[in-house]
């Protein structure tokens, strides 16, 4: 016997996060695009602007990622920032306080994006179950 049901009834599940390797691939492609675009349009040596753009990218990637993807996303964005946006281009350097601050900003952005997405999904799921 066939039972007819409406497709829109019942609780909808919370969306599953994207696989971590896919998020990291997005971080590599996005960071490369951001650094090349800003170096071409604005010019090299504008690390503050590039850091801001990469923080926005990390937050956007964090929206669809798991919390475990945040450290890898942070390091990948930092590698492109340090390697291609700061002179000497093509050489990785470590300047203690500056690079620690950059890593902290990128990690905070990635975790904030993931946290915001998880809270929004949990709140939406709660409202759907409550009504």
């Amino acid at each position: 016997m066939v039972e007819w049901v409406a497709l829109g009834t019942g609780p909808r599940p919370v969306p599953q996060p994207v696989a971590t390797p896919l998020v990291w691939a997005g971080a590599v492609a996005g960071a490369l695009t951001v650094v090349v675009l800003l170096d071409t349009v604005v010019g090299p040596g504008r690390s503050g602007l590039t850091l801001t753009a990469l923080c926005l990218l990390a937050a956007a990637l964090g929206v669809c990622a798991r919390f475990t993807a945040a450290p890898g996303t942070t390091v990948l964005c930092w590698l492109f920032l340090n390697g291609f946006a700061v002179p000497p281009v093509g050489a990785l350097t470590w300047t203690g306080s500056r690079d620690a601050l950059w890593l902290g900003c990128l990690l905070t952005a990635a975790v904030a994006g993931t946290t915001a997405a998880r809270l929004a999904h949990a709140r939406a799921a709660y409202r759907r179950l409550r009504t």
Side-chain angles (χ1 to χ4, degrees):
M1 171 164 244
V2 176
E3 181 179 340
W4 295 96
V5 295
L7 293 176
T9 62
R12 291 186 312 233
V14 175
Q16 290 294 323
V18 177
T20 300
L22 191 58
V23 173
W24 289 345
V28 168
L32 178 63
T33 303
V34 164
V35 169
V36 167
L37 183 68
L38 287 177
D39 279 352
T40 304
V41 173
V42 180
R46 302 285 304 260
S47 58
L49 182 63
T50 307
L51 175 64
T52 304
L54 287 175
C55 283
L56 291 174
L57 173 70
L61 288 170
V63 168
C64 60
R66 292 179 167 87
F67 281 107
T68 56
T73 304
T74 299
V75 169
L76 290 170
C77 288
W78 175 80
L79 285 172
F80 280 97
L81 175 63
N82 193 352
F84 300 111
V86 178
V89 174
L92 288 176
T93 59
W94 179 262
T95 306
S97 60
R98 181 194 72 183
D99 287 324
L101 177 69
W102 287 355
L103 284 168
C105 289
L106 290 165
L107 182 62
T108 301
V111 169
T114 305
T115 302
R118 296 293 156 250
L119 288 175
H121 290 157
R123 184 178 170 139
Y126 176 74
R127 272 190 262 136
R128 283 193 303 262
L129 292 174
R130 189 171 174 218
T131 59

